Amino acid sequence: KKNKFKKILIFEDDILLSKDFEKNIIEILQNKDIKKNRWKLLFLGSSDKIENIDKKVNKNNTNCQIYKVNNKISGAFAIGISMDIADQIIIEAKKYISPFDLNPLRKIITNYDCYCIYPNLVIADVTDSDIRDNNKNSNCEKRCNWDYSNYN
């Protein structure tokens, strides 16, 4: 806020970027909803279950797409935040003893336009995780439709 940024992008330290990250992020920034700055949260990746995603995107379209998220999305490992809701996020985060992407962000998602990019430009590398089994991401790969060959 001190620097008067309108939007910020936060990456966690255990992420993998898509091999076409630069090309795809430029493509996404041209999307009409993104260009008009309607979003409050923009997930560059998520742990959204494939059954939730299938209802919102055209799987035959090979271009990056965005879909409006509901409050069941999880994964805040790469997220754009509109600074006009920064104070509200901080207030919500202080209310809960839970992961940031659960209660605090879900409260924001309930009240604002929030989007996710598909296929994900960023995924979590959970091969060495403090919060889940270290099993080469196999559960996440199936559940979230992550193809690790597309990430570095």
Side-chain angles (χ1 to χ4, degrees):
K1 287 176 72 172
K2 179 175 92 175
N3 292 321
K4 298 188 175 24
F5 294 126
K6 293 182 180 175
K7 310 277 185 180
I8 61 170
L9 188 56
I10 299 173
F11 292 95
E12 290 187 358
D13 63 347
D14 57 348
I15 59 168
L16 300 170
L17 298 177
S18 72
K19 291 179 179 174
D20 294 326
F21 180 84
E22 188 174 348
K23 174 184 142 292
N24 290 331
I25 195 70
I26 291 168
E27 180 183 318
I28 287 297
L29 293 174
Q30 299 305 311
N31 179 285
K32 65 179 171 39
D33 287 319
I34 301 303
K35 282 178 83 169
K36 291 180 182 177
N37 288 321
R38 293 181 178 163
W39 59 273
K40 299 301 180 188
L41 298 175
L42 178 62
F43 294 81
L44 300 188
S46 77
S47 301
D48 209 356
K49 294 178 183 168
I50 191 63
E51 58 268 18
N52 293 334
I53 297 168
D54 281 344
K55 299 171 188 168
K56 300 172 186 171
V57 299
N58 177 356
K59 299 287 291 258
N60 296 321
N61 182 347
T62 58
N63 297 323
C64 280
Q65 304 169 65
I66 67 165
Y67 64 93
K68 192 167 182 179
V69 300
N70 60 32
N71 67 356
K72 296 191 181 347
I73 194 169
S74 62
F77 38 85
I79 188 167
I81 298 174
S82 179
M83 290 305 291
D84 59 349
I85 63 164
D87 288 335
Q88 187 174 353
I89 290 174
I90 292 167
I91 290 167
E92 292 299 327
K94 288 180 178 180
K95 288 181 187 177
Y96 299 99
I97 300 174
S98 72
F100 181 65
D101 59 337
L102 294 181
N103 292 322
L105 288 188
R106 287 180 179 177
K107 289 287 190 179
I108 301 297
I109 291 166
T110 301
N111 296 315
Y112 298 102
D113 289 338
C114 303
Y115 298 92
C116 186
I117 297 172
Y118 182 85
N120 294 160
L121 299 184
V122 179
I123 62 173
D125 180 5
V126 294
T127 55
D128 185 26
S129 175
D130 295 333
I131 60 172
R132 60 177 61 91
D133 293 335
N134 299 332
N135 60 1
K136 189 54 184 151
N137 300 317
S138 61
N139 188 34
C140 290
E141 188 169 16
K142 292 174 192 159
R143 187 173 49 89
C144 303
N145 198 38
W146 292 348
D147 180 354
Y148 291 103
S149 67
N150 294 328
Y151 298 88
N152 293 322

